[in-house]
Amino acid sequence: MTIARHSSATDAGRLAGLEEPESSLRDRSRPSRRGRIGGALDRARRRIYLPLLLPALIVYVVLFIVPALYGMALSFSSWAGLGTTFRWVGLKNYTGLFSSPVFLSSFWNTLVLTAVVGIAIFLIACGAMIVLRTTKGHSFIRSAVFVPFIISPIAIGLSVSFLFNPNGLINTVLGLLGLDGLQRPWLAADNILQVIMVGLTWSAAGFYVVLLMSAVDGIPASFYESAQIEGANLLQQFRHITLPLTRDMISVAAVLWVIAGIKTFEIIIAFTGTAGTPPLQARSLAVEQYLRVTGGPAGGIPQMGSAAAIGVIMTIITVVLILLSRRISRREPLEM
């Protein structure tokens, strides 16, 4: 009787839809057609992935990875170029650099230039993010401020050096205004780094203004309309809307500037290269590396190993600063 009642209950459950039929259970145990097709596509993609990636991977390894490894190995050697003796010296190049006042001055100049110009550029860019969003003709203004970035750094360096020449426009205007006390030998060794930073800020700021304004354009206008209804002024709108929603782009811009700042070279050469070797107060790591490759500080004898060591140090500094900037800007993702 118990078995009969159980069988009857099972049949009743099936009729009422409370228990799945055996055919449904068999279908569920089998992979669906869509799943089989998706698995086949995945396997096909995996088979063609490596053949498609391989050419680019070979080019990258040959043109980037191998030269980078060769440069790193060269930094542990003493070599003056083709036709000279190559010998290993271990860490001698690195210890020699960090005991050299010339290198330490270049190292410090590079850090100061990257930090000061970077702060100035992002203050200008943030000001533009506040003002240009509501300014008529903002598209034209963006184009105008971007123009210096596309001009050759050599041309900018020469132009700024003419402006700050002892008899140049800056001192002339100060004299006409009766501000003779503010006239300076701007291109003297003690002042030239500050003048270079002014020229570099003017030439680079436009790029970062355009970059960050492109992120501002992606913010819905309704956010600002709601903030205005609540009585928020421009600074409050920037703090609570613009800054949080453009932080990712600001982080990208900071990484780009760190890379560009560490590699600063052309504008310094434009200021001082035509008159001879750049003074110690104006040298960056890139300039010092160039002088060691060409034999400038060694009486015409190239120092390839020392120059390669400077390149390794520049790479390490760049990676450290990028990691710091990414960590500072790291946050939880915002959803709009």
Side-chain angles (χ1 to χ4, degrees), residues 46-264:
R46 284 195 293 268
R47 282 196 298 269
I48 66 173
Y49 179 75
L50 185 58
L52 291 177
L53 178 64
L54 193 58
L57 188 61
I58 292 174
V59 171
Y60 184 78
V61 170
V62 172
L63 298 183
F64 292 94
I65 301 299
V66 172
L69 295 176
Y70 177 75
M72 186 177 297
L74 187 60
S75 68
F76 298 101
S77 70
S78 176
W79 188 47
L82 297 176
T84 61
T85 303
F86 182 98
R87 60 188 180 87
W88 296 103
V89 295
L91 296 175
K92 184 177 179 180
N93 287 327
Y94 292 95
T95 56
L97 288 175
F98 284 102
S99 62
S100 169
V102 175
F103 170 80
L104 293 177
S105 177
S106 302
F107 182 88
W108 176 249
N109 289 343
T110 301
L111 293 182
V112 170
L113 183 147
T114 302
V116 173
V117 177
I119 292 173
I121 285 175
F122 283 96
L123 287 177
I124 294 171
C126 289
M129 293 165 69
I130 297 173
V131 176
L132 292 183
R133 187 181 60 81
T134 57
T135 302
K136 293 182 178 180
H138 59 273
S139 298
F140 172 77
I141 297 174
R142 290 189 206 179
S143 302
V145 299
F146 185 73
V147 169
F149 182 77
I150 64 178
I151 299 175
S152 168
I154 298 293
I156 292 175
L158 291 174
S159 300
V160 175
S161 65
F162 285 135
L163 289 175
F164 286 92
N165 191 278
N167 298 319
L169 181 63
I170 302 299
N171 280 342
T172 301
V173 171
L174 290 174
L176 293 175
L177 296 176
L179 302 175
D180 297 345
L182 297 179
Q183 292 179 333
R184 295 285 187 277
W186 301 106
L187 300 184
D190 294 336
N191 301 319
I192 192 169
L193 183 62
Q194 290 83 350
V195 176
I196 290 172
M197 289 192 289
V198 170
L200 189 58
T201 302
W202 178 77
S203 65
F207 171 77
Y208 296 94
V209 168
V210 172
L211 188 66
L212 296 183
M213 284 304 299
S214 66
V216 175
D217 291 341
I219 300 175
S222 59
F223 288 11
Y224 294 103
E225 293 171 358
S226 300
Q228 289 173 355
I229 293 173
E230 295 293 333
N233 57 33
L234 289 177
L235 287 176
Q236 290 172 330
Q237 293 174 33
F238 173 77
R239 177 184 176 186
H240 297 289
I241 300 175
T242 306
L243 186 60
L245 295 179
T246 58
R247 194 171 296 173
D248 290 338
M249 185 61 75
I250 292 174
S251 178
V252 172
V255 170
L256 293 176
W257 167 247
V258 166
I259 296 172
I262 297 296
K263 297 192 303 180
T264 302

